[in-house]
Amino acid sequence: DQQVKQNSPSLSVQEGRISILNCDYTNSMFDYFLWYKKYPAEGPTFLISISSIKDKNEDGRFTVFLNKSAKHLSLHIVPSQPGDSAVYFCAASDSGTSGSRLTFGEGTQLTVNP
Amino acid sequence: ETGVTQTPRHLVMGMTNKKSLKCEQHLGHNAMYWYKQSAKKPLELMFVYNFKEQTENNSVPSRFSPECPNSSHLFLHLHTLQPEDSALYLCASSQVRDSAYEQYFGPGTRLTVT
C-alpha cells in the first residue's frame, strides 16, 4: 500500500523556467511533509518542509504548497537551474505515531536543460 | 567529520559472508535509522533507534541485525544475504522533538550480493 506517491518518474524543464514536482498521499493522519533532493552517489539532502497547519512555505527559489483537502503537495522551483537536476523525493510523517517515522514517495528525476 | 558518515561506500559480498555496515552521526541527534533503497522503489525504512533503543523493526528479515551502542553510532550486521538484498543502504539521523522531523542522511553503502 503506497501511502505517498509521486506519479511522474521524470520531468524535464528549461533553465530559468519553473519546475513543478507533485506528490499525493492517502493517509489523512500525515501532518508534516518534506522534500528531499538526491544526487547520484550521495544520500538524500533535506530541502524544505511544511506543517499541515500551513498551505505554503517558501525558502528562496523553493516553495512547497499543501492542499489538504486534495491530499496533494507540490514543490515549485523558480527559476530552475542546471544544478537542480537531481531526484526529488517527497516524504510524510504522522506525529501521532512514532514521531519521526517518514514515508517516502518513489522520487521524480528532474532534468534542467541549459 | 561533519554530518552523517557511512562506511564502506561499496561492498560486494557472497551469500555466505558476514559483514557489517557502519554509520556515525556528528550532529548531536538522538535518533538513527537504517533505510534500504532498491532500484525504482521508494526508500524503505528498516530500523529506528531513539535514544539507543530500537523502537521500530519494519518486518526486516533476521539476516539483517542492527546494533546501536550509543546515540552517535549505528551498525547493520549482515549474514547469509540473498541476491535480492543488493541495494543502497542509507543511514539517517534526526533530533526527535515535538515538531519538525527532518532526517539527515549519509551517502549510503552500495551493497552487491553475489
Side-chain angles (χ1 to χ4, degrees):
Chain A
D1 175 30
Q2 189 72 21
Q3 296 187 67
V4 178
K5 288 187 71 65
Q6 294 175 254
N7 290 314
S8 297
S10 63
L11 174 68
S12 184
V13 300
Q14 210 60 31
E15 181 178 7
R17 306 295 291 268
I18 185 171
S19 296
I20 301 176
L21 298 114
N22 294 302
C23 179
D24 297 293
Y25 61 95
T26 58
N27 188 341
S28 57
M29 300 301 293
F30 287 148
D31 56 3
Y32 197 77
F33 304 88
L34 308 90
W35 283 95
Y36 283 82
K37 177 168 76 171
K38 185 180 185 300
Y39 293 118
E42 295 183 14
T45 303
F46 169 71
L47 198 55
I48 192 169
S49 62
I50 188 167
S51 164
S52 60
I53 63 174
K54 294 185 175 182
D55 54 20
K56 177 183 174 181
N57 188 25
E58 190 173 351
D59 183 1
R61 295 185 298 114
F62 303 91
T63 304
V64 56
F65 295 91
L66 176 63
N67 182 334
K68 289 187 290 293
S69 60
K71 294 190 178 67
H72 176 82
L73 66 154
S74 61
L75 174 68
H76 292 210
I77 307 173
V78 56
S80 301
Q81 299 173 355
D84 296 329
S85 297
V87 178
Y88 288 79
F89 294 96
C90 70
S93 174
D94 167 12
S95 60
T97 58
S98 63
S100 51
R101 191 187 201 284
L102 293 180
T103 302
F104 284 84
E106 309 94 320
T108 297
Q109 171 70 57
L110 173 67
T111 302
V112 180
N113 301 301
Chain B
E1 289 281 12
T2 58
V4 181
T5 58
Q6 288 186 244
T7 54
R9 294 293 308 274
H10 300 272
L11 178 62
V12 179
M13 59 186 289
M15 292 167 61
T16 58
N17 290 159
K18 288 185 181 182
K19 296 286 184 184
S20 294
L21 309 184
K22 179 182 175 183
C23 175
E24 184 172 359
Q25 61 97 359
H26 309 268
L27 300 168
H29 289 163
N30 53 21
M32 297 186 78
Y33 313 79
W34 279 117
Y35 286 87
K36 173 183 178 183
Q37 187 181 22
S38 305
K40 309 287 186 198
K41 287 179 135 183
L43 275 73
E44 300 172 54
L45 179 66
M46 299 175 72
F47 301 103
V48 180
Y49 277 82
N50 284 337
F51 297 95
K52 303 186 302 176
E53 299 297 322
Q54 184 176 314
T55 58
E56 187 154 354
N57 175 339
N58 205 26
S59 303
V60 180
S62 60
R63 56 186 184 270
F64 295 91
S65 175
E67 179 190 359
C68 188
N70 55 61
S71 57
S72 298
H73 294 85
L74 185 65
F75 295 90
L76 187 62
H77 304 298
L78 316 171
H79 63 99
T80 59
L81 294 192
Q82 305 298 311
E84 60 264 29
D85 296 322
S86 298
L88 180 68
Y89 289 84
L90 290 159
C91 172
S93 71
S94 73
Q95 186 67 18
V96 177
R97 51 181 185 265
D98 289 340
S99 63
Y101 303 107
E102 294 89 4
Q103 295 180 13
Y104 294 82
F105 286 82
T109 295
R110 174 67 63 185
L111 174 67
T112 303
V113 181
T114 60

